[in-house]
């Protein structure tokens, strides 16, 4: 009976996060040739890739640039994974898009604190990152 409950729970979680999980699977297909290592961090699947600046979380998929695989970076991205669990289908609109645009803005305006923005500050809090 426990297996039945686990299956139902997993199916509900997948359905709740379906948009970002599908996007994560699509990205995984493209970055697979550039993957250096893969592991599991808590409930997330992590791929360390040789693609500079690729640090993104989509559902339970985390992609981290191999050159930046520090523990705080991993915890921060896991914070985004938790945001995905909380927000479900709203994650891409509430977190994903604003976070991506903020990232681009900070690349142009290099004096701006990247972790000041609500998406990043919240991910740090959820992931237990202290800056």
């Amino acid at each position: 009976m426990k297996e039945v409950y686990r299956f139902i729970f997993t199916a509900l979680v997948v359905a709740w996060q379906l948009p970002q999980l599908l996007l994560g699977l699509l990205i995984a297909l493209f970055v697979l040739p550039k993957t250096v290592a893969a592991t599991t961090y808590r409930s997330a699947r992590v791929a360390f890739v040789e693609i500079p600046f690729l640090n993104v979380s989509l559902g339970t998929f985390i992609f981290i640039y191999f050159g930046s695989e520090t523990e705080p970076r991993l915890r921060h991205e896991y914070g985004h994974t938790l945001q995905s669990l909380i927000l479900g289908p709203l994650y891409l609109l509430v977190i994903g898009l604003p976070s991506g645009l903020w990232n681009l803005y900070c690349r142009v305006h290099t004096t701006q604190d990247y972790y000041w923005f609500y998406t990043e500050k919240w991910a740090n809090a959820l992931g237990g990152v202290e800056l």
Side-chain angles (χ1 to χ4, degrees):
M1 192 62 161
K2 191 175 186 179
E3 293 81 21
V4 173
Y5 288 131
R6 185 178 306 227
F7 175 79
I8 291 170
F9 177 77
T10 301
L12 289 172
V13 169
V14 167
W16 179 244
Q17 299 184 87
L18 192 59
Q20 50 271 30
L21 286 173
L22 290 175
L23 189 55
L25 280 172
L26 184 65
I27 289 175
L29 290 173
F30 286 105
V31 303
L32 192 58
K34 297 284 188 180
T35 301
V36 175
T39 190
T40 301
Y41 181 78
R42 299 185 185 175
S43 61
R45 192 72 182 137
V46 182
F48 296 105
V49 297
E50 291 181 321
I51 302 172
F53 308 114
L54 181 64
N55 295 300
V56 65
S57 298
L58 293 162
T60 57
F61 297 103
I62 297 175
F63 304 97
I64 295 183
Y65 173 51
F66 187 67
S68 68
E69 61 178 275
T70 63
E71 182 69 20
R73 169 83 58 206
L74 187 55
R75 287 194 315 241
H76 172 82
E77 293 303 328
Y78 185 72
H80 285 304
T81 298
L82 295 176
Q83 289 172 330
S84 176
L85 277 169
I86 293 166
L87 296 170
L90 297 175
Y91 173 79
L92 292 175
L93 290 174
V94 175
I95 301 296
L97 184 61
S99 180
L101 293 173
W102 180 248
N103 185 294
L104 292 174
Y105 176 83
C106 286
R107 290 187 191 282
V108 174
H109 302 280
T110 56
T111 58
Q112 181 63 50
D113 177 16
Y114 178 72
Y115 298 102
W116 168 86
F117 199 54
Y118 78 96
T119 60
E120 310 313 318
K121 191 182 296 185
W122 187 23
N124 278 345
L126 289 173
V129 178
E130 294 182 29
L131 296 176

